[in-house]
Amino acid sequence: MRSPLTALSAAALTGTLALSALLPGTAHAVRPAMDPQVRMHAGLSVVESPAPLGAEVGFDSRLGRNLALDAGVFFSPETELGTTPDRAVARDHLSMRHGLYAMPGLRLPHSQPRSFRWDLYGRAGGGVIWVEDRYERNSGSVTGQMDVAGYVGADAVIMKDAWGVRAHARMALTGVYDNQLQNDVFYWGSQYGVELVYQFGYRGESY
């Protein structure tokens, strides 16, 4: 039986490959005068403590002048073994570790400076997350579950020619079954990232 991270990584790889193949053609159909505008981003990811730094990779494709679709995956290494004695609050022992997302976004309209380009997006979408239960964890074993989740967030990017830097924050919202409480509980988890960005086929155009 494959681990949750292996299954999530395989799904992410399939989705991002399909996205990279399909979305350039979609952008061309919507606004060929501004093609191409497909950006790959990769960098550091931070989820809830006590998880160490993780990684994230994805693609952001423009669907219109002020509309874009961002899709990708983030993941974090295993934490040090630890439990939380307080069983009354699910947030005390459940921690988001990995996720797969697809988030359409609306761009804040603005004029661009001459020397560089910048954009700010508000986003909402869906995907899946892997939530670790630190209360159930024991040496050599990680207990958790994969759940469908909704996402909300925002990101900002600064571009100079084909390269740039992006910073983002997002929140995942879902319901998680707590084995100890024997009940479904509402769960939200935050994730942040700083990434390098590369724009494919840059021709000097801007929004």
Side-chain angles (χ1 to χ4, degrees), residues 104-197:
L106 291 176
R107 169 182 174 266
L108 175 67
H110 64 278
S111 58
Q112 295 284 9
R114 291 175 179 250
S115 58
F116 65 93
R117 311 184 312 283
W118 68 273
D119 287 304
L120 179 64
Y121 281 90
R123 300 185 186 269
V128 296
I129 61 172
W130 170 257
V131 178
E132 177 187 353
D133 189 335
R134 289 184 288 119
Y135 185 86
E136 294 284 343
R137 187 171 180 181
N138 52 63
S139 181
S141 175
V142 178
T143 300
Q145 58 189 289
M146 186 180 296
D147 293 283
V148 175
Y151 285 95
V152 293
D155 57 78
V157 60
I158 297 177
M159 301 291 299
K160 176 66 174 177
D161 298 329
W163 292 92
V165 177
R166 180 177 111 141
H168 72 265
R170 66 174 61 96
M171 182 180 295
L173 309 169
T174 188
V176 177
Y177 183 77
D178 190 308
N179 289 316
Q180 294 297 315
L181 298 178
Q182 295 293 300
N183 194 19
D184 289 319
V185 296
F186 175 73
Y187 174 80
W188 59 270
S190 55
Q191 187 257 337
Y192 309 92
V194 177
E195 304 167 279
L196 289 177
V197 180

Side-chain angles (χ1 to χ4, degrees), residues 85-90 92-93 181:
D86 186 354
R87 301 299 302 151
V89 182
D92 289 339
H93 59 276
L181 298 178

Side-chain angles (χ1 to χ4, degrees), residues 53-79:
L53 284 175
E56 178 171 0
V57 62
F59 289 91
D60 186 24
S61 180
R62 181 172 58 193
L63 304 178
R65 180 170 290 276
N66 295 313
L67 179 65
L69 175 65
D70 186 27
V73 60
F74 60 90
F75 51 92
S76 302
E78 293 184 6
T79 63

